[in-house]
Amino acid sequence: MTKKDRNLYLTNKPLQEAMEEYLHSISRSFAGISDEIIMVQDALGRKTASPVFAKISAPHYNAAAMDGIAVDASVTNGASETNPIQLKIDKDYTIVNTGAPLTMKRNAVVMVEDIVEVDDETVEIRSAVSPWQHVRPVGEDVVKGELILSENHIIRPQDIAALLTGGIERVKVKRKISVGIIPTGSEITELVDPLPEGKIIESNSKMFYALLSSYEATGTTYPIVKDEPAEIRLAIEKAVDENDLVVVNAGSSAGTKDYTVDVLREIGVVFTHGIAIKPGKPAILAEVKGKPVVGIPGYPVSAYVVFEQVVKSLVYALQNQKPMLVEKLKATLARRIVSSLKHEEFVRVKVGKVDERWIATPLNRGAGVTMSLVKADGILRIPQLTEGYDKGDSVEVELSRSQEDLSNTIVSIGSHDIVMDLIANELQKKNDNLALSSAHVGSMGGIIAMKQKECHLAPIHLLDEISGEYNIEYVRKYFANEKMSMIKLVKRSQGLMVQQGNPKEITSLEDLGREDISMINRQKGAGTRILLDYMMKIKKMDPNLLQGYQREMTTHMAVAVAIKNDTADCGLGVESAAKAMGLDFIPIAWEEYDLLIPQYMLETEKIKRLLEVIRSDSFVKQVMRLGGYDCSQTGKTILI
Amino acid sequence: MTKKDRNLYLTNKPLQEAMEEYLHSISRSFAGISDEIIMVQDALGRKTASPVFAKISAPHYNAAAMDGIAVDASVTNGASETNPIQLKIDKDYTIVNTGAPLTMKRNAVVMVEDIVEVDDETVEIRSAVSPWQHVRPVGEDVVKGELILSENHIIRPQDIAALLTGGIERVKVKRKISVGIIPTGSEITELVDPLPEGKIIESNSKMFYALLSSYEATGTTYPIVKDEPAEIRLAIEKAVDENDLVVVNAGSSAGTKDYTVDVLREIGVVFTHGIAIKPGKPAILAEVKGKPVVGIPGYPVSAYVVFEQVVKSLVYALQNQKPMLVEKLKATLARRIVSSLKHEEFVRVKVGKVDERWIATPLNRGAGVTMSLVKADGILRIPQLTEGYDKGDSVEVELSRSQEDLSNTIVSIGSHDIVMDLIANELQKKNDNLALSSAHVGSMGGIIAMKQKECHLAPIHLLDEISGEYNIEYVRKYFANEKMSMIKLVKRSQGLMVQQGNPKEITSLEDLGREDISMINRQKGAGTRILLDYMMKIKKMDPNLLQGYQREMTTHMAVAVAIKNDTADCGLGVESAAKAMGLDFIPIAWEEYDLLIPQYMLETEKIKRLLEVIRSDSFVKQVMRLGGYDCSQTGKTILI
């Protein structure tokens, strides 16, 4: 392995410049989208390929517009209250329901309400009618030869009705853009159980396929291709022959096994290799046989960003259409974000509405964190040549959920516990339009967010070293002038998580000082970290001497998973996490995990629904099933 | 036929009251939507029926986050520029690409850029690395046991990726609401060619089917049922067994053949028969075997309104969801609308942006005019107990097109000619995002709309009786203080349209005075009407003595179709309309049909694109092909 084997030198072309150049070149080589003729009832959302003119008029006959009798208006001449005229069936009138055709030169309809029945064959009328009264003339709706739809019109439900009404059974539409999706990578595999070590589940192509359907395009996913240039080449050539546009997923970077760009240079033209965006830099914009081929990086968030920024624009541009506008929202940034001047960055953010103010909180920025896309309510773009934004800045977020949904979201910022996931699920299950969105920043992070009115509630477990009491002292200190409430949630068992069977025979916190023990820690500000430091102080141990003390994880489950996978021997955490991961557990202390909520919010509809969930039997039962919890106080309110 | 045979007495229940009562009753009897388990990749847009927790962590092993070498961090202790350390392959390091698993207790990655290659088996490093540097730990993305999606979550593309990443292959989702659609009516038929007189093409059920797909529900259309109570009953019972919700189309009114309500009373409960809305009053809200059954009127616009107002709400309510919000817009009303106090009215309107002001123009309010739904840009609701709105009022329109589309629309108000349809089509064909929207109100209507800045252009053909010249004198008179321009469009041949073969031997306008001739006229303010009246004056004929003079149509094609269908012998109109309808034509005069546009608008992008179309060869060729036009002046600009 030497440097020369690698495409070290990616360009850093701004996204807009890269796309303009690319679309310009593609538009000259691209042959265009062909047409197809389909049944009108299947044409919803499709685009007409030629103007459509009515083949017949509708109605195609003069029709009764009311229930009643059809007459020749002249037979009613002179009728009045004092001079009723009698009419004979067949000779003078025909009984008609709404929609019935007018025959025998009849040219008017007398409403049933204006008729007096004399006998089965005779009626009497008491006022004259004028010709064409209550008649729907031929062509009232559609006139034969009339333009029903222009070319390039996107067909809606009412257009389907109008086309059929105009006698059109089949319609010529533009074919949908077809996109070939080629997953590559020797380490990629379809989901199998158990998953072999070193294998990665192929999930991007399924995400692409779903995204394409939201762009009104069709996707074809090809079999996974190994990291072999010849195989990649064959796959691309086949896909280019069979589709309008091809995406090659992964292998787009500059590693020793990243062959995509070399293959594309061989069989086509590469316009760009390296876009100044983060995540998503190692993208490739190329053309093979006049068709666009896009190389997309493998990390799921990079893949998502490049697909949305490049492939979406291409799909619409090839159809001479513009993508639907994305809903945008001005929000206050909850945390500072530092971004490099080198690239445009796409930061996933959570958005919540607290006290009529929209708050955007950045999520994990790692390109590998699919869950950041799931949790995100929108994207904040930080332009190139911008250093980022300060806490409190007003920023514009491109939303991926509607404002209405977002205003029905309870924002929780603070400590993490599995119990919060249970609440989120129960809340959404019982109140379809209500959601709980949790950011995990530790208990002190929750206190600070609450202080700055960035959340509706903060889950905390903070031990006061002097009183030995949980939470209340912290609230008194930080919210001296505010009326706060504490909703008791659970007592939970904190202790040492160790590997199954406890092979290192760990029995107490003192064992953390042993030379053969490496621990894993929680981040500063986490209640669990504060507890550990407090215990160390009591035991007069220097935490900095503990092996692994510097290695920080942000959730109990992340600590548990590190121990499970043998990268640490132990860590402090809650019993439920140990149990979920199949670890042994040595109890150290019971702590109180509560929800901090401003008093005035207790009366809001959202918080009332939340408290209903917390106080429900079904919730308490689910918590107790997890193990390691005490619910004797759950749901009690303390006003502070 | 007697009154007692008919359900004359529809109620007039306000929509909201009717729906609240209905939803309340249905919610108590409705058994709920069952679940189904489907493949994750097919789950886009579906709603989870239970919370989904990760089955595996991702990554499920500690992985290299960079290309380079994997090492045990301790072997690098003490390395520096002055004290490089040499490492041996296999014993000290393993070559890794991004994503590769860390094995053999290696716990850090040194980036390829920080390595000096000594030989094939030896590298040198010049700085120490800390444990877990450039390592993606197990569970960085998804931790086993973590909540990926709550219950009641609508699955998006990124959720599909996260589920697969968390080892989930199948997911339990709510079944989609299934809706049975029963078309009824002895006069209804599938589209056939030629259509027998008295038959109506079944188009509503296809519109419903398409609407359902936009509500994320599924539709099943049953065969057309004749107006026979026994057959209707059988069809409803079958559909209720097979679906969550059933709609019966037509037969919902109170005519002699409207059996739907009687059948529903027999086999279920009818909550409402008659809602205080227009169009759509004769709707039925019923329940059969605990499931909702909705009777929908037959007129297409009524059907659309009831489906959108009743069925849509039901579909979402049965899933405990709210419909997507409809985009709304404040606009100035271009014409007065009078509405009855008795009902809430849904008026279709065209919307255009002229000089930064949004203008809403009401369309044909007939319940039978499908084309009004096609042409509409939105719906204006006039509440019950409101008499309507005045011209110039600010009203709120529920949009069916996006604001962006609407601001790219050129608004034309004035006279009608087929040539305007050609322009509309060519414009949209050549400029995907640009549309021409035409309202046909006659030339004088166009002058008035232009005066009030409600349109971008007005097509006019107005003969000045004194000068004998077209258009210019009118513009001078009505726009004395404004800088206007006239774009010459076409000269067109006006004359008498008569039935094929001219059976009544009509040769000149004088024949209109004959006793055996009935004519059909255009509306007041139409250029063609002004021409007729002018000719009558010259010939010293009294137009009021002409048979049919009072019968007014608003387009050339409507006049042509009336003659074609034998309801009139002749009418004044353009040659192209006669030709399109297969009528004979007796030329009377050439007139000038031009576009009136304010001078300052000539420089706007939209009007420039329009003029390009008008001046193109392909447009002129299409016009000449119609017959009856002279294009020698087409595209010339006259400044007035």
Side-chain angles (χ1 to χ4, degrees):
Chain A
M1 182 195 60
T2 59
K3 290 191 190 182
K4 67 177 151 34
D5 292 331
R6 296 159 32 96
N7 300 296
L8 263 183
Y9 307 104
L10 263 58
T11 58
N12 194 46
K13 209 181 276 179
L15 175 63
Q16 198 183 338
E17 183 189 326
M19 284 306 291
E20 277 170 11
E21 177 196 68
Y22 192 39
L23 290 175
H24 182 72
S25 304
I26 291 294
S27 69
R28 285 189 301 182
S29 65
F30 189 73
I33 304 297
S34 62
D35 307 331
E36 58 181 335
I37 291 173
I38 60 173
M39 297 297 286
V40 162
Q41 60 257 45
D42 300 327
L44 184 67
R46 304 298 295 272
K47 196 184 205 184
T48 52
S50 56
V52 189
F53 299 95
K55 277 193 192 162
I56 55 174
S57 294
H60 66 292
Y61 50 87
N62 292 309
M66 293 283 181
D67 293 345
I69 58 170
V71 297
D72 180 332
S74 61
V75 303
T76 70
N77 285 349
S80 70
E81 282 295 332
T82 52
N83 181 32
I85 290 184
Q86 291 207 345
L87 302 174
K88 286 287 172 191
I89 199 161
D90 297 340
K91 178 176 156 288
D92 298 322
Y93 73 89
T94 318
I95 296 173
V96 287
N97 273 304
T98 305
L102 262 58
T103 52
M104 303 164 68
K105 290 271 177 193
R106 311 228 193 269
N107 64 2
V109 170
V110 185
M111 277 163 64
V112 70
E113 289 81 349
D114 297 334
I115 295 163
V116 177
E117 205 165 340
V118 178
D119 59 41
D120 275 2
E121 301 186 340
T122 317
V123 296
E124 198 173 271
I125 58 160
R126 289 162 188 232
S127 65
V129 295
S130 47
W132 310 108
Q133 173 186 289
H134 301 320
V135 174
R136 257 190 103 196
V138 173
E140 184 196 63
D141 186 353
V142 179
V143 177
K144 182 181 167 181
E146 179 182 9
L147 179 72
I148 300 181
L149 300 177
S150 291
E151 188 169 335
N152 280 339
H153 177 91
I154 302 204
I155 296 173
R156 302 161 299 170
Q158 59 267 46
D159 300 328
I160 291 176
L163 290 169
L164 290 168
T165 301
I168 312 291
E169 200 171 10
R170 290 184 177 78
V171 61
K172 196 201 276 185
V173 295
K174 305 268 183 196
R175 209 166 35 68
K176 285 189 177 191
I177 294 279
S178 59
V179 180
I181 303 165
I182 307 176
T184 73
S186 303
E187 75 286 11
I188 303 290
T189 177
E190 296 291 331
L191 177 54
V192 284
D193 188 15
L195 197 59
E197 183 156 300
K199 287 288 182 184
I200 294 172
I201 294 169
E202 209 297 281
S203 61
N204 283 345
S205 70
K206 272 88 172 184
M207 176 172 71
F208 296 161
Y209 188 90
L211 283 167
L212 286 172
S213 97
S214 72
Y215 310 161
E216 293 289 336
T218 61
T220 304
T221 307
Y222 290 87
I224 296 169
V225 180
K226 288 209 163 18
D227 290 324
E228 296 291 343
E231 290 191 28
I232 295 172
R233 179 183 169 144
L234 276 178
I236 294 176
E237 286 177 333
K238 179 174 156 69
V240 164
D241 284 344
E242 296 175 353
N243 297 278
D244 300 313
L245 191 166
V246 173
V247 298
V248 185
N249 188 214
S252 72
S253 188
T256 45
K257 291 190 179 167
D258 292 332
Y259 301 117
T260 307
V261 76
D262 304 321
V263 169
L264 288 171
R265 286 213 173 92
E266 213 179 290
I267 60 173
V269 182
V270 171
F271 297 100
T272 298
H273 184 204
I275 304 179
I277 55 174
K278 182 184 173 184
K281 179 169 180 174
I284 305 169
L285 309 184
E287 180 195 313
V288 175
K289 297 188 196 169
K291 290 179 180 171
V293 179
V294 180
I296 296 183
Y299 272 131
V301 183
S302 312
Y304 181 85
V305 168
V306 173
F307 210 85
E308 280 274 284
Q309 297 301 320
V310 175
V311 179
K312 186 178 183 178
S313 304
L314 266 173
V315 164
Y316 284 93
L318 294 180
Q319 302 177 94
N320 293 315
Q321 255 178 278
K322 281 188 189 159
M324 292 276 281
L325 285 184
V326 176
E327 198 187 354
K328 289 178 186 169
L329 179 87
K330 286 267 181 205
T332 303
L333 194 61
R335 285 210 291 277
R336 188 175 178 216
I337 312 177
V338 178
S339 178
S340 159
L341 298 176
K342 276 197 271 180
H343 45 240
E344 180 176 12
E345 185 166 355
F346 297 80
V347 180
R348 281 82 66 208
V349 295
K350 288 206 77 72
V351 177
K353 194 180 195 178
V354 181
D355 288 354
E356 298 307 308
R357 197 172 60 134
W358 289 102
I359 308 285
T361 309
L363 285 159
N364 187 321
R365 286 155 82 185
V369 184
T370 319
M371 283 305 289
S372 69
L373 288 173
V374 172
K375 289 176 183 160
D377 301 317
I379 298 277
L380 166 60
R381 283 177 188 241
I382 305 178
Q384 203 175 355
L385 304 177
T386 300
E387 284 182 321
Y389 294 112
D390 259 339
K391 180 182 167 69
D393 275 2
S394 168
V395 294
E396 194 172 59
V397 177
E398 297 178 2
L399 294 183
S400 54
R401 293 174 59 199
S402 74
Q403 282 199 33
E404 200 198 3
D405 277 357
L406 291 173
S407 39
N408 286 324
T409 298
I410 299 173
V411 181
S412 160
I413 302 184
S415 167
H416 176 255
D417 190 283
I418 300 170
V419 165
M420 294 306 289
D421 287 351
L422 290 183
I423 295 178
N425 188 64
E426 284 290 298
L427 189 73
Q428 195 163 1
K429 181 175 167 182
K430 290 185 180 156
N431 306 275
D432 197 88
N433 291 312
L434 208 51
L436 175 70
S437 135
S438 290
H440 310 142
V441 297
S443 293
M444 278 311 298
I447 293 271
I448 292 164
M450 177 59 76
K451 193 76 199 155
Q452 303 189 329
K453 297 188 188 304
E454 291 164 357
C455 57
H456 298 108
L457 62 91
I460 56 173
H461 54 114
L462 288 163
L463 178 63
D464 179 53
E465 298 194 2
I466 297 159
S467 69
E469 252 192 278
Y470 268 91
N471 299 333
I472 290 182
E473 284 309 316
Y474 278 84
V475 177
R476 288 209 177 106
K477 179 174 166 196
Y478 286 94
F479 300 89
N481 301 314
E482 283 151 271
K483 291 192 170 174
M484 303 302 290
S485 74
M486 183 76 75
I487 307 298
K488 300 302 289 177
L489 198 55
V490 290
K491 282 192 189 171
R492 62 182 194 179
S493 176
Q494 282 270 19
L496 286 169
M497 299 190 266
V498 300
Q499 283 160 26
Q500 205 171 21
N502 195 3
K504 294 268 174 100
E505 296 178 341
I506 296 163
T507 57
S508 71
L509 283 172
E510 278 79 358
D511 288 322
L512 299 191
R514 275 160 53 187
E515 280 213 349
D516 64 327
I517 301 284
S518 85
M519 69 167 294
I520 183 158
N521 206 352
R522 289 293 305 280
Q523 85 278 17
K524 289 173 202 73
T528 304
R529 171 71 167 262
I530 291 172
L531 176 64
L532 178 72
D533 292 350
Y534 172 68
M535 303 292 265
M536 291 289 110
K537 204 164 155 188
I538 288 179
K539 293 180 190 293
K540 302 195 164 52
M541 292 170 70
D542 179 357
N544 289 302
L545 297 179
L546 309 182
Q547 288 189 65
Y549 182 79
Q550 310 300 339
R551 194 168 160 218
E552 297 179 350
M553 294 287 173
T554 56
T555 66
H556 296 279
M557 284 302 278
V559 169
V561 92
I563 297 164
K564 176 76 178 180
N565 283 275
D566 215 13
T567 74
D569 298 309
C570 66
L572 197 60
V574 293
E575 188 173 347
S576 58
K579 205 171 158 186
M581 202 51 70
L583 299 175
D584 282 7
F585 183 77
I586 298 133
I588 301 285
W590 281 92
E591 63 171 15
E592 292 170 44
Y593 182 89
D594 301 322
L595 303 184
L596 175 62
I597 305 180
Q599 282 188 27
Y600 71 90
M601 276 193 194
L602 294 178
E603 288 311 305
T604 62
E605 210 47 45
K606 282 190 279 207
I607 298 296
K608 277 191 195 166
R609 293 287 92 76
L610 181 87
L611 295 180
E612 274 173 18
V613 164
I614 292 174
R615 289 167 184 158
S616 70
D617 286 349
S618 68
F619 169 69
V620 170
K621 264 184 206 156
Q622 287 179 62
V623 173
M624 295 310 289
R625 212 177 296 142
L626 293 173
Y629 292 100
D630 171 346
C631 288
S632 56
Q633 305 287 310
T634 299
K636 289 203 176 148
T637 310
I638 297 171
L639 302 181
I640 304 167
Chain B
M1 182 193 61
T2 59
K3 290 192 190 182
K4 66 178 150 36
D5 292 331
R6 297 158 32 94
N7 299 295
L8 263 183
Y9 307 104
L10 264 57
T11 57
N12 195 47
K13 210 180 275 179
L15 175 62
Q16 197 183 338
E17 182 189 325
M19 284 307 290
E20 276 170 12
E21 176 196 70
Y22 193 38
L23 291 175
H24 182 71
S25 304
I26 291 294
S27 70
R28 285 190 300 181
S29 65
F30 190 71
I33 303 298
S34 62
D35 308 331
E36 58 182 334
I37 291 173
I38 59 173
M39 297 297 287
V40 162
Q41 62 258 45
D42 300 328
L44 184 67
R46 304 299 295 272
K47 194 184 207 183
T48 52
S50 55
V52 190
F53 299 94
K55 277 194 194 163
I56 55 175
S57 294
H60 67 291
Y61 50 86
N62 291 309
M66 293 283 182
D67 294 345
I69 57 170
V71 298
D72 180 331
S74 61
V75 303
T76 70
N77 284 350
S80 69
E81 281 295 330
T82 53
N83 180 33
I85 288 183
Q86 292 206 343
L87 302 175
K88 287 287 173 192
I89 198 161
D90 296 340
K91 178 177 156 286
D92 296 323
Y93 74 88
T94 317
I95 296 173
V96 288
N97 272 303
T98 304
L102 263 56
T103 52
M104 302 164 67
K105 289 274 174 196
R106 311 228 193 268
N107 65 2
V109 170
V110 185
M111 277 163 63
V112 68
E113 288 82 350
D114 297 335
I115 294 164
V116 177
E117 205 165 339
V118 177
D119 59 40
D120 275 2
E121 300 188 339
T122 316
V123 296
E124 199 173 271
I125 58 159
R126 292 163 185 232
S127 65
V129 295
S130 47
W132 310 107
Q133 174 186 289
H134 300 321
V135 174
R136 255 191 105 194
V138 172
E140 184 195 62
D141 187 353
V142 179
V143 177
K144 181 182 165 181
E146 179 181 9
L147 179 73
I148 301 180
L149 300 178
S150 292
E151 187 169 333
N152 280 340
H153 177 91
I154 304 211
I155 296 173
R156 303 160 300 170
Q158 58 267 47
D159 301 327
I160 290 176
L163 290 169
L164 291 168
T165 301
I168 311 292
E169 202 171 9
R170 290 183 176 78
V171 61
K172 195 200 276 185
V173 295
K174 306 265 183 196
R175 210 168 33 68
K176 286 190 178 190
I177 295 279
S178 60
V179 181
I181 304 165
I182 306 176
T184 73
S186 303
E187 75 285 12
I188 303 291
T189 177
E190 296 291 332
L191 177 53
V192 284
D193 188 16
L195 197 60
E197 183 157 300
K199 287 287 180 184
I200 294 171
I201 295 169
E202 209 297 281
S203 62
N204 284 345
S205 71
K206 273 89 173 183
M207 176 171 73
F208 296 160
Y209 188 89
L211 283 167
L212 287 172
S213 97
S214 73
Y215 310 161
E216 294 289 337
T218 61
T220 304
T221 307
Y222 290 87
I224 296 168
V225 180
K226 287 207 166 17
D227 291 324
E228 297 291 343
E231 290 190 29
I232 294 171
R233 179 184 170 144
L234 276 177
I236 293 176
E237 285 177 333
K238 179 174 158 68
V240 164
D241 284 342
E242 295 174 352
N243 297 278
D244 300 313
L245 192 165
V246 173
V247 298
V248 184
N249 188 214
S252 71
S253 188
T256 44
K257 290 188 180 168
D258 292 331
Y259 301 117
T260 307
V261 77
D262 304 321
V263 170
L264 287 171
R265 285 213 174 94
E266 210 180 293
I267 60 173
V269 182
V270 170
F271 297 100
T272 299
H273 184 206
I275 305 179
I277 55 175
K278 181 184 175 185
K281 178 169 179 174
I284 305 168
L285 309 184
E287 182 194 312
V288 175
K289 296 189 199 168
K291 291 180 181 171
V293 178
V294 180
I296 297 183
Y299 273 131
V301 183
S302 313
Y304 181 85
V305 168
V306 173
F307 210 84
E308 280 274 284
Q309 297 302 321
V310 174
V311 179
K312 186 179 184 178
S313 304
L314 265 174
V315 164
Y316 283 92
L318 294 181
Q319 303 176 92
N320 292 316
Q321 256 178 278
K322 282 187 187 159
M324 294 275 281
L325 286 183
V326 176
E327 198 185 355
K328 290 179 185 170
L329 179 87
K330 286 268 179 202
T332 303
L333 195 61
R335 283 209 293 276
R336 186 173 179 220
I337 312 177
V338 178
S339 179
S340 158
L341 298 176
K342 275 198 272 179
H343 45 242
E344 178 177 15
E345 186 168 357
F346 296 79
V347 179
R348 282 81 68 205
V349 295
K350 289 204 77 72
V351 176
K353 195 181 194 177
V354 182
D355 288 354
E356 299 308 309
R357 196 171 60 133
W358 289 103
I359 308 286
T361 310
L363 285 159
N364 187 320
R365 286 156 80 184
V369 185
T370 319
M371 283 305 287
S372 69
L373 288 173
V374 171
K375 290 177 182 160
D377 301 317
I379 298 276
L380 165 61
R381 282 179 189 239
I382 304 178
Q384 200 174 358
L385 304 179
T386 301
E387 284 183 322
Y389 294 112
D390 257 339
K391 181 182 168 70
D393 276 0
S394 169
V395 294
E396 194 172 58
V397 177
E398 297 178 2
L399 294 183
S400 54
R401 293 174 61 201
S402 74
Q403 282 200 32
E404 199 197 4
D405 277 0
L406 291 173
S407 37
N408 286 323
T409 297
I410 299 174
V411 181
S412 162
I413 301 184
S415 168
H416 176 255
D417 190 284
I418 300 170
V419 165
M420 293 306 290
D421 286 352
L422 289 183
I423 295 179
N425 189 62
E426 283 291 296
L427 190 74
Q428 194 163 3
K429 182 176 171 181
K430 291 185 179 156
N431 306 275
D432 197 90
N433 290 313
L434 209 51
L436 175 70
S437 132
S438 290
H440 310 141
V441 297
S443 294
M444 278 312 298
I447 293 272
I448 291 163
M450 176 60 77
K451 193 72 200 157
Q452 302 189 329
K453 297 189 187 304
E454 291 164 359
C455 58
H456 297 108
L457 61 90
I460 56 173
H461 54 115
L462 288 164
L463 176 63
D464 179 53
E465 297 194 2
I466 298 160
S467 69
E469 252 193 279
Y470 267 91
N471 300 332
I472 289 182
E473 285 310 314
Y474 278 84
V475 178
R476 288 210 178 104
K477 180 176 164 194
Y478 286 95
F479 299 89
N481 301 313
E482 283 151 89
K483 291 191 168 176
M484 302 303 289
S485 76
M486 184 75 75
I487 306 298
K488 300 301 289 178
L489 197 56
V490 290
K491 282 191 188 172
R492 61 182 194 179
S493 176
Q494 282 270 21
L496 285 171
M497 299 190 265
V498 299
Q499 281 159 29
Q500 205 172 22
N502 195 2
K504 294 269 173 101
E505 297 178 341
I506 297 164
T507 57
S508 71
L509 282 173
E510 279 79 358
D511 288 322
L512 297 191
R514 277 162 51 189
E515 280 214 348
D516 63 328
I517 301 284
S518 84
M519 68 166 295
I520 183 158
N521 206 352
R522 289 292 306 280
Q523 86 278 17
K524 290 172 202 74
T528 304
R529 171 71 167 263
I530 292 172
L531 175 66
L532 177 73
D533 292 348
Y534 172 70
M535 304 292 266
M536 291 290 109
K537 205 165 156 187
I538 288 177
K539 294 181 189 290
K540 299 196 165 50
M541 290 169 70
D542 178 355
N544 289 302
L545 296 179
L546 308 182
Q547 287 189 63
Y549 181 80
Q550 310 300 341
R551 194 170 159 215
E552 298 180 352
M553 295 287 172
T554 57
T555 66
H556 296 280
M557 285 300 279
V559 170
V561 92
I563 298 164
K564 175 76 178 179
N565 284 275
D566 214 14
T567 73
D569 298 310
C570 66
L572 197 61
V574 294
E575 187 173 346
S576 57
K579 205 171 157 184
M581 201 53 69
L583 299 175
D584 282 8
F585 183 79
I586 300 131
I588 302 283
W590 282 91
E591 64 172 13
E592 293 170 43
Y593 181 89
D594 302 322
L595 303 183
L596 174 63
I597 304 180
Q599 281 189 29
Y600 72 89
M601 275 192 194
L602 293 178
E603 288 311 305
T604 62
E605 210 48 43
K606 281 189 280 207
I607 299 296
K608 278 190 193 165
R609 293 288 92 75
L610 181 87
L611 295 180
E612 274 172 18
V613 164
I614 292 173
R615 289 166 183 157
S616 70
D617 286 349
S618 68
F619 169 69
V620 170
K621 265 186 207 155
Q622 287 180 61
V623 173
M624 294 311 288
R625 211 176 297 140
L626 292 174
Y629 292 100
D630 171 345
C631 286
S632 55
Q633 305 288 309
T634 299
K636 287 199 178 151
T637 309
I638 297 171
L639 302 181
I640 305 165

